[in-house]
């Protein structure tokens, strides 16, 4: 990531699309034909693997789902900045774009994992995308966090440290704020925990959800 943006001042247009519902009809013959046309034959196997991972995760408990989604995204997506990848300073890719191009930045990893977990049937209320500062690199960064219960210490899914670890085992991350389709939470000082929900969020999130809903 290159910079922060103006998220705090912009209202969310609507809640996150239920990717679990979309995934039921996503992997059709037409979908795979479009992948072949848009990304080539070599990418088809990645999308078939993605479908298998989502199907496998649908019968697993939450922790195993986290491991599956985290490992799949980190293995199939290579880090590339938005400037190099999309020729723009900031771009939120859909999961199809991230997997199809095989590249993305920290936001794209987190979004891909988030949507994959929803596709497996995970409760959206347990997931948030969190902006942090990477103290190792002294720069803004995004991770996905999971709460077993609202008061639980969250687990962190990341592309820098590829293990699923509890927040207290990630002293290299300084939390800033988190959000999902239900709103935005300012981060507390300890454990990447949640704070009082706010009704504000990001236009980027709203635009991304609309693009996914449109099948991009």
């Amino acid at each position: 990531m290159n910079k922060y943006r103006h998220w705090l001042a912009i209202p969310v247009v609507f809640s996150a699309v239920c990717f679990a519902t979309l995934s039921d009809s996503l992997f059709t013959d037409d979908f795979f034909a479009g992948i072949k046309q848009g990304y080539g034959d070599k990418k088809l196997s990645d999308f078939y693997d993605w479908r298998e991972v989502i199907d496998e995760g649908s019968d697993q408990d939450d922790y195993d789902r986290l491991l599956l989604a985290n490992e799949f995204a980190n293995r199939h997506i290579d880090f590339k900045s938005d400037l190099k990848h999309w020729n723009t300073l900031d771009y939120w890719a859909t999961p199809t774009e991230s997997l199809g191009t095989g590249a993305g930045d920290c936001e794209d990893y987190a979004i891909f994992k988030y949507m994959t977990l929803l596709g497996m049937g995970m409760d959206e209320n347990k997931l948030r995308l969190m902006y942090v500062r990477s103290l190792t690199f002294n720069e803004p960064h995004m991770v996905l966090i999971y709460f077993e219960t609202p008061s639980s210490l969250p687990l962190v899914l990341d592309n820098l440290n590829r293990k699923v670890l509890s927040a207290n085992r990630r002293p290299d991350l300084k939390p800033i704020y988190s959000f999902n389709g239900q709103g935005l939470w300012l981060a507390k000082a300890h454990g990447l925990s949640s704070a009082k929900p706010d009704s504000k969020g990001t236009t980027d999130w709203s635009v991304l959800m609309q693009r996914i809903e449109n099948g991009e």
Side-chain angles (χ1 to χ4, degrees):
M1 273 181 49
N2 296 315
K3 59 187 180 67
Y4 293 115
R5 292 168 295 184
H6 51 282
W7 297 292
L8 292 178
I10 303 172
V12 167
V13 175
F14 52 83
S15 296
V17 174
C18 181
F19 194 69
T21 300
L22 288 180
S23 65
D24 291 339
S25 57
L26 175 64
F27 299 112
T28 63
D29 290 342
D30 287 343
F31 171 82
F32 286 110
I35 294 301
K36 180 178 179 179
Q37 181 179 2
Y39 299 106
D41 288 343
K42 292 183 179 180
K43 279 294 174 181
L44 279 173
S45 61
D46 287 348
F47 282 87
Y48 285 123
D49 289 345
W50 187 31
R51 180 179 63 182
E52 290 181 8
V53 164
I54 290 176
D55 288 344
E56 181 181 354
S58 65
D59 294 326
Q60 303 292 324
D61 61 26
D62 279 1
Y63 184 71
D64 287 335
R65 289 171 172 174
L66 296 176
L67 295 179
L68 284 169
N70 191 60
E71 191 277 334
F72 184 89
N74 289 339
R75 178 161 51 91
H76 286 83
I77 300 172
D78 295 326
F79 181 85
K80 185 179 288 188
S81 70
D82 286 335
L83 188 60
K84 290 183 179 180
H85 193 26
W86 301 107
N87 197 32
T88 184
L89 286 176
D90 198 39
Y91 181 78
W92 285 22
T94 67
T96 299
E97 289 173 324
S98 296
L99 188 57
T101 61
D105 66 0
C106 59
E107 295 161 336
D108 301 322
Y109 281 97
I111 290 165
F112 186 93
K113 295 169 187 178
Y114 181 94
M115 295 299 174
T116 298
L117 288 165
L118 292 189
M120 293 175 179
M122 184 170 285
D123 182 355
E124 181 187 9
N125 292 315
K126 294 182 176 182
L127 298 172
R128 292 181 200 143
L129 295 98
M130 169 159 272
Y131 276 97
V132 299
R133 175 163 287 275
S134 169
L135 301 180
T136 302
F137 298 99
N138 192 30
E139 64 181 23
H141 183 54
M142 180 188 269
V143 297
L144 179 65
I145 57 174
Y146 163 86
F147 294 87
E148 184 176 3
T149 70
S151 60
S152 297
L153 187 68
L155 298 175
V156 181
L157 286 69
D158 191 9
N159 64 292
L160 296 179
N161 187 328
R162 299 194 166 198
K163 295 181 179 180
V164 176
L165 298 173
S166 59
N168 62 346
R169 297 181 63 189
R170 295 300 307 273
D172 57 311
L173 302 179
K174 180 182 178 180
I176 301 171
Y177 63 88
S178 65
F179 66 95
N180 62 12
Q182 306 305 316
L184 178 141
W185 288 259
L186 297 179
K188 291 181 179 177
H190 297 287
L192 304 183
S193 59
S194 64
K196 182 180 178 180
D198 197 309
S199 62
K200 296 179 180 179
T202 76
T203 53
D204 297 301
W205 181 250
S206 299
V207 170
L208 178 69
M209 293 301 101
Q210 186 64 64
R211 293 176 60 222
I212 293 173
E213 194 172 49
N214 291 338
E216 295 183 36

